[in-house]
Amino acid sequence: MATIGQDMHKELPQVVVLNPPPAFSLIGDHYFHSPNFTYLKPYESSLPLHEFLSKHANSAQAILCAVGVAVNDDILNLLPSVRLIVTVSAGLDQIDFPACRRHGVAVANTANLYSADVADAAVGLFIDVSRRISAANRYVRKGFWVSKGDYALGQKIGGKRVGIVGLGNIGKEVAKRLEAFGCTIIYNSRKKKPEFSYPFYPNIRELAADSDALIICCGLVDQTYHMIDRECKSLSAYDDFKH
């Protein structure tokens, strides 16, 4: 019976987990076990990564990865049977797409699964900066409340003009939340979104000049690298937040 079980285990599709996704550490990987495939975990092996992957070169059919480990030619050359890469992030910076095309490997990400969570975090950070919550907490913890008096008040976010850079899955969730706070939404994106009534700014500097705050919701690609530069950050609209 043990031999039969081991043979069945070997016949299951094998998935290489290059690095443990956050959920594995948070709640344990046993919640993700499946009768349909087997995990191969190089991070639990004493073998160097290249030796571990070479050992499973002909059996591993997919890769599961998280942010922090690049999937490139070096990895794919060691795993010629892999036909699918799944990343547990929305971002794809760690995936070498030209290498995937050369090897005939498909790529899947989480799409908009985390959009609402990221929007919550973005709005939370905006409130924190506006109301100076973290700064006030540090002020109190250092004993300045006693020696220097009350900490300066922050600002309400209601009525602020918020420029959203990238009105995609995350950007529209941010806009929806900020509207509930009474903010005025303006945006820049690759193209105008006719389904939204928010004013569209094709020029990022004009958007910055008309905004009390910018929230960046676009992906980091060559076209957006350093798009928010010193000139944008030095515009007078930001003076109230330079504390």
Side-chain angles (χ1 to χ4, degrees):
M1 290 295 289
T3 302
I4 294 175
Q6 291 172 358
D7 291 340
M8 290 178 63
H9 184 73
K10 290 179 180 179
E11 291 174 0
L12 289 174
Q14 295 183 339
V15 178
V16 176
V17 183
L18 282 182
N19 56 333
F24 279 26
S25 302
L26 185 64
I27 61 176
D29 60 10
H30 58 283
Y31 284 101
F32 301 91
H33 288 174
S34 169
N36 301 315
F37 54 81
T38 301
Y39 286 139
L40 301 174
K41 304 172 185 176
Y43 53 88
E44 292 183 352
S45 172
S46 59
L47 293 175
L49 179 61
H50 70 280
E51 289 186 21
F52 182 93
L53 297 182
S54 297
K55 180 180 178 181
H56 299 282
N58 297 318
S59 58
Q61 298 178 28
I63 293 173
L64 177 66
C65 63
V67 173
V69 175
V71 184
N72 49 29
D73 265 322
D74 293 339
I75 297 293
L76 295 176
N77 285 335
L78 295 171
L79 298 171
S81 296
V82 163
R83 289 295 173 263
L84 174 66
I85 297 169
V86 178
T87 174
V88 298
S89 63
L92 296 165
D93 297 346
Q94 75 275 28
I95 309 296
D96 185 337
F97 275 90
C100 291
R101 284 191 286 269
R102 287 193 294 272
H103 290 267
V105 176
V107 178
N109 68 346
T110 61
N112 64 347
L113 179 64
Y114 300 133
S115 296
D117 301 283
V118 176
D120 287 348
V123 172
L125 290 171
F126 179 41
I127 295 171
D128 180 59
V129 171
S130 299
R131 287 294 186 181
R132 303 176 185 173
I133 296 170
S134 294
N137 178 61
R138 292 191 296 270
Y139 184 88
V140 172
R141 287 179 177 274
K142 291 179 179 178
F144 293 155
W145 194 7
V146 174
S147 61
K148 297 183 179 181
D150 291 345
Y151 187 74
L153 295 176
Q155 303 176 40
K156 65 181 181 181
I157 65 172
K160 297 294 185 185
R161 289 173 62 84
V162 180
I164 295 178
V165 181
L167 200 65
N169 290 325
I170 295 171
K172 66 184 180 182
E173 291 291 334
V174 170
K176 180 170 67 176
R177 285 155 174 74
L178 290 179
E179 278 191 299
F181 282 99
C183 296
T184 298
I185 305 299
I186 57 180
Y187 76 99
N188 167 273
S189 204
R190 283 176 293 183
K191 58 184 179 180
K192 187 174 182 179
K193 308 277 186 174
E195 64 269 32
F196 297 105
S197 60
Y198 312 133
F200 170 64
Y201 285 67
N203 186 291
I204 190 69
R205 286 175 172 76
E206 291 179 3
L207 178 78
D210 281 354
S211 300
D212 294 308
L214 285 181
I215 297 183
I216 314 303
C217 300
C218 60
L220 176 60
V221 294
D222 290 342
Q223 292 79 6
T224 60
Y225 183 69
H226 281 177
M227 180 172 63
I228 309 300
D229 56 16
R230 182 175 298 176
E231 182 179 346
C232 280
K233 292 188 288 185
S234 65
L235 294 173
S236 60
Y238 291 87
D239 284 346
D240 289 343
F241 292 94
K242 293 175 181 175
H243 298 287

